[in-house]
Amino acid sequence: MNIDFAHRQSAHCESGVTANLLSHHGIEISEALAFGIGSGLFFGYLPFVRINRLPLVTFRSAPGAIFKRVAQRLGVEVTRKKFRVPEQSMAALDQALGQRIPVGLQTGVFWLPYFPPALRFHFNAHNLVVHGREGDAYRISDPVIDEPVLCPREDLMRARFAEGALAPKGAMYYLEKVPGQVDLRPAVKAGMREVGRRMVKAPVPIIGVRGIRYLAGQLERWPQKLGAKRSGQYLGHLIRMQEEIGTGGGGFRFIYAAFLQEAAELLGAPRLSELSRELTGIGDRWREFALLGARRCKGRGAEETSYPRLAAMLRECAEREEKLFRSLLAAL
Amino acid sequence: MKREDVPQDAAIFGQWHGICYALDDEGRYVLTPSAGWDPANVANLQAWEVIAEEIREAIEAVRSGTASPLAFHMARCQMDVGLLASYAHLPRWRVRRHLRPAVYARLKPELRARYARVFGVAPEHLDQIPDMPQLPVALDEYREDQAQ
Protein backbone atom coordinates (compact mmCIF):
# COMPACT_ATOMS: atom_id res chain seq x y z
CA MET A 1 0.00 0.00 0.00
CA ASN A 2 1.22 3.41 -0.86
CA ILE A 3 -0.31 6.84 -0.31
CA ASP A 4 0.48 9.58 -2.78
CA PHE A 5 2.21 11.96 -0.38
CA ALA A 6 4.18 15.05 -1.38
CA HIS A 7 7.53 15.04 0.42
CA ARG A 8 8.82 18.55 0.96
CA GLN A 9 12.11 18.79 2.77
CA SER A 10 12.07 21.24 5.65
CA ALA A 11 14.45 22.76 8.15
CA HIS A 12 12.68 21.46 11.23
CA CYS A 13 10.96 18.12 11.70
CA GLU A 14 7.81 19.19 13.53
CA SER A 15 6.92 22.25 11.45
CA GLY A 16 7.75 20.19 8.35
CA VAL A 17 5.46 17.33 9.33
CA THR A 18 2.70 19.79 10.25
CA ALA A 19 2.91 21.65 6.93
CA ASN A 20 3.17 18.47 4.85
CA LEU A 21 0.24 16.76 6.58
CA LEU A 22 -1.96 19.86 6.25
CA SER A 23 -1.03 20.29 2.60
CA HIS A 24 -1.93 16.65 1.99
CA HIS A 25 -5.38 17.37 3.40
CA GLY A 26 -5.89 20.45 1.24
CA ILE A 27 -4.61 23.28 3.45
CA GLU A 28 -1.60 24.46 1.45
CA ILE A 29 0.81 26.06 3.90
CA SER A 30 4.56 26.46 3.97
CA GLU A 31 6.80 25.19 6.73
CA ALA A 32 7.53 28.75 7.87
CA LEU A 33 3.81 29.48 8.16
CA ALA A 34 3.27 26.32 10.21
CA PHE A 35 6.21 27.30 12.41
CA GLY A 36 4.81 30.77 12.97
CA ILE A 37 1.17 29.78 13.50
CA GLY A 38 2.41 27.09 15.88
CA SER A 39 4.47 29.67 17.83
CA GLY A 40 7.64 27.64 17.35
CA LEU A 41 10.15 30.32 18.27
CA PHE A 42 11.44 30.31 21.82
CA PHE A 43 14.40 30.80 24.01
CA GLY A 44 15.02 29.02 27.27
CA TYR A 45 18.12 28.33 29.31
CA LEU A 46 17.41 25.75 32.01
CA PRO A 47 20.71 24.77 33.63
CA PHE A 48 18.99 22.57 36.23
CA VAL A 49 17.72 20.27 33.45
CA ARG A 50 20.60 18.18 32.15
CA ILE A 51 21.01 16.47 28.79
CA ASN A 52 24.01 14.18 28.75
CA ARG A 53 25.25 16.14 31.78
CA LEU A 54 24.96 19.42 29.84
CA PRO A 55 22.51 22.25 30.60
CA LEU A 56 19.31 22.37 28.56
CA VAL A 57 19.19 25.25 26.13
CA THR A 58 16.40 25.50 23.59
CA PHE A 59 15.58 27.84 20.75
CA ARG A 60 12.10 26.45 20.11
CA SER A 61 8.95 25.51 21.97
CA ALA A 62 8.39 22.12 23.62
CA PRO A 63 8.11 19.09 21.30
CA GLY A 64 4.57 18.57 20.07
CA ALA A 65 3.51 22.17 20.74
CA ILE A 66 3.78 23.38 17.13
CA PHE A 67 1.52 20.67 15.76
CA LYS A 68 -0.96 21.08 18.59
CA ARG A 69 -1.18 24.87 18.27
CA VAL A 70 -1.53 24.82 14.48
CA ALA A 71 -4.34 22.26 14.69
CA GLN A 72 -6.11 24.32 17.38
CA ARG A 73 -5.74 27.61 15.54
CA LEU A 74 -6.92 26.24 12.20
CA GLY A 75 -9.76 24.19 13.67
CA VAL A 76 -8.36 20.86 12.53
CA GLU A 77 -9.42 17.75 14.40
CA VAL A 78 -6.54 15.48 15.29
CA THR A 79 -6.33 11.93 16.56
CA ARG A 80 -3.37 11.21 18.80
CA LYS A 81 -2.60 7.83 20.34
CA LYS A 82 0.03 6.32 22.57
CA PHE A 83 0.63 2.64 23.20
CA ARG A 84 2.01 0.24 25.75
CA VAL A 85 2.54 -2.72 23.47
CA PRO A 86 4.81 -2.17 20.44
CA GLU A 87 3.00 -4.72 18.26
CA GLN A 88 -0.31 -2.94 18.87
CA SER A 89 1.21 0.39 17.84
CA MET A 90 2.35 -1.15 14.55
CA ALA A 91 -1.07 -2.71 13.96
CA ALA A 92 -2.69 0.69 14.51
CA LEU A 93 -0.24 2.22 12.04
CA ASP A 94 -1.07 -0.45 9.45
CA GLN A 95 -4.77 0.10 9.98
CA ALA A 96 -4.50 3.87 9.39
CA LEU A 97 -2.34 3.30 6.30
CA GLY A 98 -4.98 0.82 5.10
CA GLN A 99 -7.48 3.69 5.21
CA ARG A 100 -5.03 5.74 3.13
CA ILE A 101 -4.25 8.14 5.96
CA PRO A 102 -0.66 9.41 6.22
CA VAL A 103 0.44 9.10 9.84
CA GLY A 104 2.77 11.29 11.90
CA LEU A 105 5.03 9.50 14.36
CA GLN A 106 7.18 10.61 17.25
CA THR A 107 10.45 8.68 17.20
CA GLY A 108 13.92 8.46 18.72
CA VAL A 109 16.55 9.28 16.09
CA PHE A 110 19.12 6.96 17.65
CA TRP A 111 17.33 3.96 16.12
CA LEU A 112 16.53 5.31 12.65
CA PRO A 113 18.87 3.48 10.26
CA TYR A 114 18.64 6.01 7.42
CA PHE A 115 19.51 8.97 9.67
CA PRO A 116 23.05 10.42 9.27
CA PRO A 117 25.07 8.29 11.73
CA ALA A 118 26.91 11.36 13.05
CA LEU A 119 23.58 12.80 14.20
CA ARG A 120 22.26 9.69 15.91
CA PHE A 121 22.01 10.73 19.53
CA HIS A 122 19.28 9.87 22.03
CA PHE A 123 16.80 12.52 20.97
CA ASN A 124 13.27 11.21 21.28
CA ALA A 125 11.05 13.89 19.81
CA HIS A 126 11.80 13.49 16.12
CA ASN A 127 8.72 13.69 13.90
CA LEU A 128 8.20 11.97 10.57
CA VAL A 129 5.33 10.85 8.34
CA VAL A 130 4.65 7.25 7.33
CA HIS A 131 2.86 7.09 3.98
CA GLY A 132 3.06 3.51 2.86
CA ARG A 133 4.34 0.02 3.37
CA GLU A 134 6.30 -2.30 1.14
CA GLY A 135 6.54 -5.77 2.58
CA ASP A 136 8.56 -5.46 5.74
CA ALA A 137 9.52 -1.82 5.29
CA TYR A 138 7.66 1.45 5.67
CA ARG A 139 7.70 4.40 3.31
CA ILE A 140 8.75 7.42 5.31
CA SER A 141 8.71 11.10 4.56
CA ASP A 142 11.22 12.42 7.10
CA PRO A 143 11.06 16.18 6.66
CA VAL A 144 14.71 16.83 7.45
CA ILE A 145 15.91 14.26 4.89
CA ASP A 146 16.24 15.09 1.17
CA GLU A 147 13.90 12.41 -0.17
CA PRO A 148 11.42 9.77 1.01
CA VAL A 149 13.13 6.70 2.47
CA LEU A 150 12.32 3.12 3.40
CA CYS A 151 12.71 1.98 6.99
CA PRO A 152 12.53 -1.66 8.13
CA ARG A 153 9.60 -2.44 10.42
CA GLU A 154 11.81 -3.70 13.26
CA ASP A 155 13.84 -0.46 13.33
CA LEU A 156 10.78 1.76 13.14
CA MET A 157 9.22 -0.10 16.04
CA ARG A 158 12.36 0.42 18.11
CA ALA A 159 12.43 4.13 17.27
CA ARG A 160 8.78 4.44 18.33
CA PHE A 161 9.59 2.90 21.67
CA ALA A 162 12.80 4.71 22.45
CA GLU A 163 13.33 5.16 26.19
CA GLY A 164 14.59 8.05 28.27
CA ALA A 165 13.66 11.73 28.22
CA LEU A 166 10.61 12.49 26.03
CA ALA A 167 10.02 8.77 25.42
CA PRO A 168 7.48 8.65 22.56
CA LYS A 169 5.66 5.51 23.79
CA GLY A 170 4.64 4.75 20.24
CA ALA A 171 2.93 8.12 19.77
CA MET A 172 1.14 8.49 16.43
CA TYR A 173 -1.14 11.23 15.14
CA TYR A 174 -3.13 12.07 12.05
CA LEU A 175 -5.65 14.61 10.85
CA GLU A 176 -9.20 13.46 11.44
CA LYS A 177 -11.26 16.31 10.06
CA VAL A 178 -10.21 19.43 8.16
CA PRO A 179 -12.51 22.44 7.74
CA GLY A 180 -13.41 23.32 4.15
CA GLN A 181 -12.55 26.99 4.43
CA VAL A 182 -9.65 28.20 6.54
CA ASP A 183 -8.84 31.81 7.32
CA LEU A 184 -5.15 31.87 8.12
CA ARG A 185 -5.06 35.48 9.30
CA PRO A 186 -6.39 35.14 12.87
CA ALA A 187 -4.22 32.05 13.33
CA VAL A 188 -1.14 33.96 12.16
CA LYS A 189 -1.88 36.78 14.59
CA ALA A 190 -2.50 34.43 17.49
CA GLY A 191 0.78 32.68 16.75
CA MET A 192 2.71 35.95 16.72
CA ARG A 193 1.08 37.18 19.91
CA GLU A 194 2.11 34.07 21.81
CA VAL A 195 5.73 34.28 20.66
CA GLY A 196 5.92 38.01 21.38
CA ARG A 197 4.61 37.57 24.91
CA ARG A 198 6.86 34.65 25.58
CA MET A 199 9.96 36.47 24.39
CA VAL A 200 9.49 39.76 26.26
CA LYS A 201 6.87 39.14 28.93
CA ALA A 202 7.80 35.77 30.40
CA PRO A 203 7.40 35.87 34.19
CA VAL A 204 10.59 33.86 34.77
CA PRO A 205 14.12 35.15 34.11
CA ILE A 206 15.32 32.07 32.20
CA ILE A 207 12.90 32.36 29.28
CA GLY A 208 12.75 34.79 26.37
CA VAL A 209 15.16 37.71 26.11
CA ARG A 210 15.76 37.60 29.86
CA GLY A 211 16.85 33.99 29.38
CA ILE A 212 19.36 35.08 26.73
CA ARG A 213 20.79 37.67 29.15
CA TYR A 214 20.88 35.10 31.93
CA LEU A 215 22.79 32.73 29.64
CA ALA A 216 25.23 35.55 28.79
CA GLY A 217 25.94 36.08 32.48
CA GLN A 218 26.44 32.37 33.08
CA LEU A 219 28.60 31.90 29.99
CA GLU A 220 30.96 34.61 31.21
CA ARG A 221 31.57 32.65 34.39
CA TRP A 222 31.95 29.20 32.81
CA PRO A 223 35.77 29.29 32.52
CA GLN A 224 36.26 30.07 36.25
CA LYS A 225 33.52 27.69 37.34
CA LEU A 226 34.12 24.74 35.04
CA GLY A 227 37.65 25.01 33.69
CA ALA A 228 38.66 25.38 30.05
CA LYS A 229 37.75 21.89 28.83
CA ARG A 230 34.33 21.64 30.37
CA SER A 231 33.31 25.18 29.42
CA GLY A 232 34.36 24.36 25.85
CA GLN A 233 31.93 21.44 26.00
CA TYR A 234 29.15 23.70 27.29
CA LEU A 235 29.83 26.13 24.46
CA GLY A 236 29.89 23.37 21.86
CA HIS A 237 26.58 22.06 23.18
CA LEU A 238 25.10 25.54 22.84
CA ILE A 239 26.29 25.78 19.23
CA ARG A 240 24.83 22.36 18.44
CA MET A 241 21.42 23.28 19.81
CA GLN A 242 21.56 26.49 17.77
CA GLU A 243 22.92 25.23 14.47
CA GLU A 244 22.71 21.46 14.13
CA ILE A 245 20.23 20.01 11.66
CA GLY A 246 16.67 21.23 12.18
CA THR A 247 16.90 24.94 12.98
CA GLY A 248 17.11 26.43 9.48
CA GLY A 249 20.06 28.50 10.72
CA GLY A 250 20.51 31.01 13.53
CA GLY A 251 18.55 29.06 16.13
CA PHE A 252 15.24 29.25 14.18
CA ARG A 253 15.59 33.04 13.74
CA PHE A 254 15.76 32.77 9.93
CA ILE A 255 12.73 30.51 9.63
CA TYR A 256 10.79 32.92 11.84
CA ALA A 257 11.93 35.83 9.66
CA ALA A 258 10.60 33.87 6.67
CA PHE A 259 7.31 33.51 8.53
CA LEU A 260 7.14 37.27 9.20
CA GLN A 261 7.76 37.89 5.51
CA GLU A 262 4.84 35.64 4.54
CA ALA A 263 2.68 37.12 7.28
CA ALA A 264 3.36 40.64 5.97
CA GLU A 265 1.83 39.67 2.66
CA LEU A 266 -1.02 37.69 4.16
CA LEU A 267 -2.06 40.49 6.51
CA GLY A 268 -1.12 43.34 4.20
CA ALA A 269 1.17 44.72 6.90
CA PRO A 270 4.44 46.11 5.47
CA ARG A 271 5.68 46.74 9.04
CA LEU A 272 6.13 42.97 9.38
CA SER A 273 8.49 42.98 6.38
CA GLU A 274 10.68 45.47 8.21
CA LEU A 275 10.64 43.27 11.31
CA SER A 276 11.52 40.29 9.13
CA ARG A 277 14.60 42.12 7.84
CA GLU A 278 15.64 43.07 11.36
CA LEU A 279 15.25 39.46 12.55
CA THR A 280 17.41 38.30 9.63
CA GLY A 281 20.09 40.67 10.93
CA ILE A 282 19.73 39.23 14.43
CA GLY A 283 19.96 35.69 13.03
CA ASP A 284 23.18 36.67 11.26
CA ARG A 285 24.53 37.85 14.61
CA TRP A 286 23.64 34.48 16.22
CA ARG A 287 25.54 32.81 13.38
CA GLU A 288 28.60 34.99 14.11
CA PHE A 289 28.31 33.95 17.73
CA ALA A 290 28.41 30.28 16.67
CA LEU A 291 31.34 30.95 14.34
CA LEU A 292 33.46 32.59 17.04
CA GLY A 293 32.27 30.12 19.67
CA ALA A 294 33.42 27.20 17.52
CA ARG A 295 36.80 28.89 17.13
CA ARG A 296 36.94 29.08 20.91
CA CYS A 297 36.14 25.34 21.09
CA LYS A 298 39.04 24.71 18.73
CA GLY A 299 41.25 26.74 21.06
CA ARG A 300 41.88 29.49 18.52
CA GLY A 301 41.47 33.26 18.24
CA ALA A 302 42.26 34.08 21.87
CA GLU A 303 41.16 37.72 21.93
CA GLU A 304 38.00 38.02 19.85
CA THR A 305 36.61 34.71 21.14
CA SER A 306 37.04 35.34 24.87
CA TYR A 307 34.00 34.42 26.95
CA PRO A 308 33.20 38.06 27.85
CA ARG A 309 33.23 38.91 24.13
CA LEU A 310 30.88 36.03 23.36
CA ALA A 311 28.62 37.10 26.23
CA ALA A 312 28.53 40.63 24.83
CA MET A 313 27.31 39.24 21.51
CA LEU A 314 24.50 37.39 23.28
CA ARG A 315 23.51 40.55 25.13
CA GLU A 316 23.36 42.39 21.83
CA CYS A 317 21.05 39.68 20.42
CA ALA A 318 18.86 39.97 23.52
CA GLU A 319 18.73 43.75 23.19
CA ARG A 320 17.70 43.62 19.55
CA GLU A 321 15.20 40.80 20.06
CA GLU A 322 13.57 42.67 22.92
CA LYS A 323 13.02 45.70 20.70
CA LEU A 324 11.83 43.50 17.85
CA PHE A 325 9.24 41.52 19.77
CA ARG A 326 7.93 44.64 21.52
CA SER A 327 7.39 46.18 18.07
CA LEU A 328 5.74 42.96 16.91
CA LEU A 329 3.27 43.05 19.80
CA ALA A 330 2.61 46.71 19.11
CA ALA A 331 2.00 46.01 15.42
CA LEU A 332 -0.74 43.45 16.11
CA MET B 1 22.02 35.18 5.32
CA LYS B 2 22.06 35.31 1.52
CA ARG B 3 21.46 32.22 -0.57
CA GLU B 4 24.99 32.28 -2.01
CA ASP B 5 26.42 32.44 1.53
CA VAL B 6 24.75 29.22 2.68
CA PRO B 7 27.72 27.10 3.76
CA GLN B 8 28.50 23.81 2.04
CA ASP B 9 31.02 22.30 4.46
CA ALA B 10 30.35 18.57 4.09
CA ALA B 11 31.31 16.49 7.09
CA ILE B 12 28.49 14.90 9.06
CA PHE B 13 25.35 14.69 6.90
CA GLY B 14 26.67 11.90 4.67
CA GLN B 15 24.59 11.81 1.50
CA TRP B 16 21.95 14.15 2.96
CA HIS B 17 21.58 17.92 3.33
CA GLY B 18 20.17 20.25 5.93
CA ILE B 19 17.80 23.06 4.97
CA CYS B 20 18.82 26.66 5.58
CA TYR B 21 16.48 29.62 5.24
CA ALA B 22 18.28 32.26 3.19
CA LEU B 23 17.49 35.33 1.09
CA ASP B 24 17.47 35.37 -2.71
CA ASP B 25 18.43 38.42 -4.81
CA GLU B 26 14.99 39.99 -4.34
CA GLY B 27 15.25 39.66 -0.57
CA ARG B 28 12.72 36.81 -0.45
CA TYR B 29 13.29 33.82 1.79
CA VAL B 30 14.03 30.55 0.00
CA LEU B 31 14.79 27.08 1.34
CA THR B 32 18.38 26.28 0.48
CA PRO B 33 20.07 22.89 0.95
CA SER B 34 23.31 22.98 2.90
CA ALA B 35 25.91 20.21 3.05
CA GLY B 36 26.87 21.41 6.52
CA TRP B 37 28.61 24.27 8.35
CA ASP B 38 32.04 24.12 9.96
CA PRO B 39 31.07 25.58 13.37
CA ALA B 40 28.23 23.08 13.68
CA ASN B 41 30.55 20.30 12.50
CA VAL B 42 33.13 21.21 15.13
CA ALA B 43 30.48 21.18 17.86
CA ASN B 44 29.25 17.81 16.62
CA LEU B 45 32.76 16.31 16.62
CA GLN B 46 33.27 17.62 20.12
CA ALA B 47 30.20 15.72 21.28
CA TRP B 48 31.59 12.55 19.66
CA GLU B 49 34.95 13.10 21.31
CA VAL B 50 33.22 12.97 24.70
CA ILE B 51 31.48 9.72 23.69
CA ALA B 52 34.77 8.30 22.38
CA GLU B 53 36.43 9.05 25.69
CA GLU B 54 33.69 7.24 27.57
CA ILE B 55 34.02 4.21 25.26
CA ARG B 56 37.81 4.18 25.71
CA GLU B 57 37.44 4.27 29.48
CA ALA B 58 34.87 1.46 29.34
CA ILE B 59 37.13 -0.70 27.17
CA GLU B 60 39.95 -0.09 29.64
CA ALA B 61 37.72 -1.02 32.58
CA VAL B 62 36.52 -4.22 30.92
CA ARG B 63 40.08 -5.26 30.03
CA SER B 64 41.40 -4.61 33.51
CA GLY B 65 38.55 -6.62 34.99
CA THR B 66 36.83 -3.82 36.88
CA ALA B 67 33.69 -3.80 34.71
CA SER B 68 31.68 -6.31 32.70
CA PRO B 69 31.34 -6.05 28.89
CA LEU B 70 27.99 -4.38 29.44
CA ALA B 71 29.94 -1.22 30.36
CA PHE B 72 31.44 -1.14 26.87
CA HIS B 73 28.12 -1.61 25.07
CA MET B 74 26.48 0.92 27.35
CA ALA B 75 29.07 3.56 26.40
CA ARG B 76 28.93 2.57 22.72
CA CYS B 77 25.16 3.06 22.69
CA GLN B 78 25.49 6.40 24.52
CA MET B 79 23.60 5.08 27.53
CA ASP B 80 23.95 5.51 31.24
CA VAL B 81 22.68 3.08 33.88
CA GLY B 82 19.28 4.77 33.99
CA LEU B 83 18.71 4.62 30.24
CA LEU B 84 19.97 1.04 29.94
CA ALA B 85 17.69 0.04 32.82
CA SER B 86 14.66 1.49 30.99
CA TYR B 87 15.57 -0.29 27.77
CA ALA B 88 16.18 -3.61 29.52
CA HIS B 89 13.07 -3.17 31.70
CA LEU B 90 15.12 -3.83 34.82
CA PRO B 91 15.58 -1.83 38.01
CA ARG B 92 18.75 0.25 38.08
CA TRP B 93 20.29 -1.64 40.95
CA ARG B 94 20.20 -4.86 38.94
CA VAL B 95 21.89 -3.21 35.96
CA ARG B 96 24.54 -1.85 38.34
CA ARG B 97 25.09 -5.37 39.66
CA HIS B 98 25.39 -6.76 36.14
CA LEU B 99 28.17 -4.27 35.47
CA ARG B 100 30.31 -6.22 37.95
CA PRO B 101 32.32 -8.90 36.12
CA ALA B 102 31.69 -11.61 38.72
CA VAL B 103 27.91 -11.14 38.61
CA TYR B 104 27.93 -10.82 34.83
CA ALA B 105 29.77 -14.15 34.48
CA ARG B 106 26.82 -15.93 36.12
CA LEU B 107 24.16 -14.08 34.11
CA LYS B 108 21.25 -16.27 32.97
CA PRO B 109 20.95 -16.79 29.19
CA GLU B 110 17.58 -15.04 29.20
CA LEU B 111 19.09 -11.85 30.62
CA ARG B 112 22.12 -12.03 28.33
CA ALA B 113 19.73 -12.25 25.38
CA ARG B 114 17.78 -9.30 26.69
CA TYR B 115 20.89 -7.11 26.91
CA ALA B 116 22.05 -8.31 23.50
CA ARG B 117 18.72 -7.27 22.01
CA VAL B 118 18.98 -3.81 23.55
CA PHE B 119 22.49 -3.33 22.18
CA GLY B 120 21.65 -4.77 18.77
CA VAL B 121 24.24 -7.59 18.86
CA ALA B 122 24.01 -11.39 18.91
CA PRO B 123 24.19 -12.80 22.48
CA GLU B 124 27.36 -14.73 21.62
CA HIS B 125 29.04 -11.49 20.51
CA LEU B 126 28.30 -9.66 23.73
CA ASP B 127 31.77 -10.41 25.11
CA GLN B 128 33.67 -9.21 22.03
CA ILE B 129 35.35 -5.95 22.90
CA PRO B 130 37.33 -4.04 20.23
CA ASP B 131 40.67 -2.39 20.95
CA MET B 132 39.49 1.05 19.89
CA PRO B 133 36.13 2.81 19.83
CA GLN B 134 34.47 2.68 16.41
CA LEU B 135 32.68 5.90 15.60
CA PRO B 136 30.59 7.20 12.69
CA VAL B 137 32.81 10.30 12.47
CA ALA B 138 36.54 10.87 11.93
CA LEU B 139 37.99 12.61 14.96
CA ASP B 140 41.60 12.97 13.75
CA GLU B 141 41.19 16.46 12.36
CA TYR B 142 39.42 17.61 15.51
CA ARG B 143 42.20 16.21 17.69
CA GLU B 144 44.88 17.92 15.62
CA ASP B 145 43.15 21.24 16.20
CA GLN B 146 42.97 20.59 19.92
CA ALA B 147 46.66 19.68 20.04
CA GLN B 148 47.74 22.96 18.47
Side-chain angles (χ1 to χ4, degrees), chain A residues 128-271:
Chain A
L128 49 84
V129 175
V130 184
H131 58 94
R133 183 173 175 179
E134 262 179 45
D136 231 15
Y138 287 87
R139 287 193 169 276
I140 286 175
S141 159
D142 186 321
V144 303
I145 298 291
D146 303 41
E147 15 179 282
V149 288
L150 280 172
C151 179
R153 185 171 188 275
E154 221 25 56
D155 294 317
L156 188 62
M157 192 156 80
R158 276 205 124 182
R160 294 182 70 187
F161 285 86
E163 297 276 355
L166 304 170
K169 302 199 184 303
M172 65 180 250
Y173 50 92
Y174 49 85
L175 308 192
E176 188 74 52
K177 219 167 119 196
V178 176
Q181 276 291 322
V182 181
D183 186 3
L184 293 175
R185 284 170 300 180
V188 164
K189 282 187 187 168
M192 288 196 288
R193 200 170 294 123
E194 190 185 344
V195 165
R197 284 190 186 144
R198 192 191 280 157
M199 290 304 287
V200 294
K201 291 188 174 164
V204 279
I206 55 173
I207 281 173
V209 294
R210 288 169 77 197
I212 303 175
R213 292 196 182 105
Y214 173 58
L215 169 64
Q218 295 288 304
L219 179 139
E220 238 167 356
R221 284 193 282 276
W222 283 348
Q224 292 94 317
K225 226 171 82 183
L226 308 163
K229 190 178 171 192
R230 193 84 181 120
S231 45
Q233 286 173 6
Y234 272 45
L235 191 56
H237 175 67
L238 185 56
I239 296 167
R240 274 184 54 215
M241 294 304 110
Q242 187 193 312
E243 295 296 340
E244 212 164 66
I245 200 165
T247 77
F252 296 96
R253 268 56 190 165
F254 293 144
I255 184 175
Y256 202 77
F259 160 69
L260 289 178
Q261 196 172 59
E262 266 194 72
E265 214 160 279
L266 212 62
L267 302 173
R271 176 81 182 116

Side-chain angles (χ1 to χ4, degrees), chain A:
Chain A
M1 90 196 81
N2 204 356
I3 304 160
D4 198 14
F5 188 80
H7 173 81
R8 289 185 299 180
Q9 198 187 355
S10 346
H12 180 55
C13 67
E14 193 180 337
S15 46
V17 161
T18 305
N20 289 350
L21 280 180
L22 283 168
S23 298
H24 180 83
H25 289 274
I27 304 178
E28 270 296 333
I29 65 169
S30 67
E31 182 200 8
L33 214 46
F35 187 80
I37 292 175
S39 304
L41 195 85
F42 193 79
F43 184 87
Y45 180 64
L46 291 75
F48 44 86
V49 182
R50 298 268 146 172
I51 298 173
N52 294 324
R53 278 171 273 137
L54 293 162
L56 174 72
V57 55
T58 175
F59 291 82
R60 52 138 174 144
S61 52
I66 296 177
F67 184 79
K68 198 172 139 191
R69 290 267 185 284
V70 172
Q72 268 171 3
R73 286 177 180 149
L74 296 182
V76 174
E77 274 176 48
V78 173
T79 299
R80 197 180 164 88
K81 289 178 191 157
K82 283 192 175 184
F83 300 86
R84 264 201 216 122
V85 185
E87 281 300 336
Q88 282 177 7
S89 79
M90 297 310 276
L93 174 62
D94 286 337
Q95 200 192 352
L97 292 175
Q99 293 164 20
R100 310 199 63 75
I101 304 169
V103 180
L105 295 183
Q106 187 188 333
T107 57
V109 289
F110 187 80
W111 305 106
L112 293 173
Y114 62 83
F115 218 73
L119 294 169
R120 281 164 65 180
F121 301 107
H122 289 286
F123 172 65
N124 286 340
H126 182 62
N127 293 276
L128 49 84
V129 175
V130 184
H131 58 94
R133 183 173 175 179
E134 262 179 45
D136 231 15
Y138 287 87
R139 287 193 169 276
I140 286 175
S141 159
D142 186 321
V144 303
I145 298 291
D146 303 41
E147 15 179 282
V149 288
L150 280 172
C151 179
R153 185 171 188 275
E154 221 25 56
D155 294 317
L156 188 62
M157 192 156 80
R158 276 205 124 182
R160 294 182 70 187
F161 285 86
E163 297 276 355
L166 304 170
K169 302 199 184 303
M172 65 180 250
Y173 50 92
Y174 49 85
L175 308 192
E176 188 74 52
K177 219 167 119 196
V178 176
Q181 276 291 322
V182 181
D183 186 3
L184 293 175
R185 284 170 300 180
V188 164
K189 282 187 187 168
M192 288 196 288
R193 200 170 294 123
E194 190 185 344
V195 165
R197 284 190 186 144
R198 192 191 280 157
M199 290 304 287
V200 294
K201 291 188 174 164
V204 279
I206 55 173
I207 281 173
V209 294
R210 288 169 77 197
I212 303 175
R213 292 196 182 105
Y214 173 58
L215 169 64
Q218 295 288 304
L219 179 139
E220 238 167 356
R221 284 193 282 276
W222 283 348
Q224 292 94 317
K225 226 171 82 183
L226 308 163
K229 190 178 171 192
R230 193 84 181 120
S231 45
Q233 286 173 6
Y234 272 45
L235 191 56
H237 175 67
L238 185 56
I239 296 167
R240 274 184 54 215
M241 294 304 110
Q242 187 193 312
E243 295 296 340
E244 212 164 66
I245 200 165
T247 77
F252 296 96
R253 268 56 190 165
F254 293 144
I255 184 175
Y256 202 77
F259 160 69
L260 289 178
Q261 196 172 59
E262 266 194 72
E265 214 160 279
L266 212 62
L267 302 173
R271 176 81 182 116
L272 294 180
S273 293
E274 288 167 34
L275 294 178
S276 168
R277 273 193 293 281
E278 167 60 9
L279 189 56
T280 302
I282 297 172
D284 285 333
R285 201 71 183 133
W286 278 103
R287 297 275 286 185
E288 281 168 51
F289 168 79
L291 186 72
L292 294 183
R295 228 176 264 169
R296 169 89 283 173
C297 289
K298 280 178 152 189
R300 286 193 188 146
E303 192 49 44
E304 80 274 17
T305 67
S306 70
Y307 282 87
R309 284 289 282 276
L310 292 170
M313 290 178 86
L314 288 183
R315 289 199 182 94
E316 188 201 315
C317 287
E319 196 63 46
R320 288 172 71 178
E321 288 196 5
E322 172 151 26
K323 220 178 267 166
L324 179 118
F325 287 107
R326 286 198 191 281
S327 312
L328 182 65
L329 285 174
L332 284 171

Side-chain angles (χ1 to χ4, degrees), chain B residues 43-137:
Chain B
N44 179 278
L45 289 180
Q46 192 190 39
W48 281 105
E49 178 63 44
V50 174
I51 295 165
E53 221 171 274
E54 274 164 22
I55 302 176
R56 272 196 299 275
E57 278 167 19
I59 292 175
E60 190 54 40
V62 177
R63 301 213 160 218
S64 63
T66 54
S68 77
L70 292 184
F72 160 72
H73 291 289
M74 196 167 89
R76 178 178 65 80
C77 292
Q78 303 171 34
M79 293 178 183
D80 55 17
V81 170
L83 190 56
L84 177 55
S86 338
Y87 271 111
H89 303 296
L90 289 170
R92 287 165 198 239
W93 65 268
R94 287 195 72 190
V95 173
R96 266 190 217 106
R97 255 173 63 77
H98 298 157
L99 287 168
R100 285 161 42 190
V103 180
Y104 175 80
R106 298 193 306 265
L107 211 60
K108 290 205 178 85
E110 191 274 318
L111 274 178
R112 275 182 72 92
R114 198 190 291 194
Y115 280 119
R117 227 178 5 253
V118 170
F119 295 133
V121 293
E124 60 272 25
H125 292 159
L126 213 48
D127 298 337
Q128 286 177 7
I129 309 295
D131 297 326
M132 292 281 287
Q134 280 142 7
L135 299 170
V137 291

